Amino acid sequence: MAARLQQLRSKAVQASEFVSKSGCAYYKEMMEKNKHYVVQPPTIEKCQELSKQLFYTRLASIPGRCESFWKELDGMKNIWKNRKELKVEDAGIAALFGLELYAWFCVGEIAGRGFTFTGYYV
């Protein structure tokens, strides 16, 4: 166990050295590639304007999302009406999808509890 801990420490030291040496270069390279996204001058007023633009853009997308939701719901109603013609493969895929959704829900619950399986820290 002590050997594993020492090995883990040495890997952590190597990783921190790599980040300290090449972290700044990576940051500069990334900012150079994406400088067309940076708004000049970076003022509070400009940030507030951008946040308002984002908010109202998201609000403007709601009608399209609602339309997509109702189309999906109509498709599900159609599948439910014709459930006698449903293939086993389609039902299996739907069951696996539901299982995946439940698994992601459980992962979210565990993360929300602080990565404990038994419950919340008190």
Side-chain angles (χ1 to χ4, degrees), residues 51-90:
S51 70
K52 284 183 181 178
Q53 286 177 347
L54 176 63
F55 176 74
Y56 288 109
T57 301
R58 299 294 288 176
L59 275 180
S61 71
I62 289 175
R65 292 179 188 190
C66 288
E67 182 180 332
S68 297
F69 170 76
W70 291 115
K71 283 182 182 178
E72 288 289 330
L73 188 62
D74 289 340
M76 288 301 299
K77 287 178 183 177
N78 189 24
I79 289 172
W80 187 253
K81 283 180 188 175
N82 300 325
R83 65 183 177 267
K84 300 288 185 190
E85 300 168 8
L86 191 64
K87 295 184 217 166
V88 175
E89 293 87 14
D90 295 336

Side-chain angles (χ1 to χ4, degrees), residues 38-56:
V38 177
V39 176
Q40 294 295 337
T43 61
I44 292 175
E45 293 82 15
K46 193 65 174 172
C47 289
Q48 289 172 340
E49 178 186 347
L50 288 171
S51 70
K52 284 183 181 178
Q53 286 177 347
L54 176 63
F55 176 74
Y56 288 109

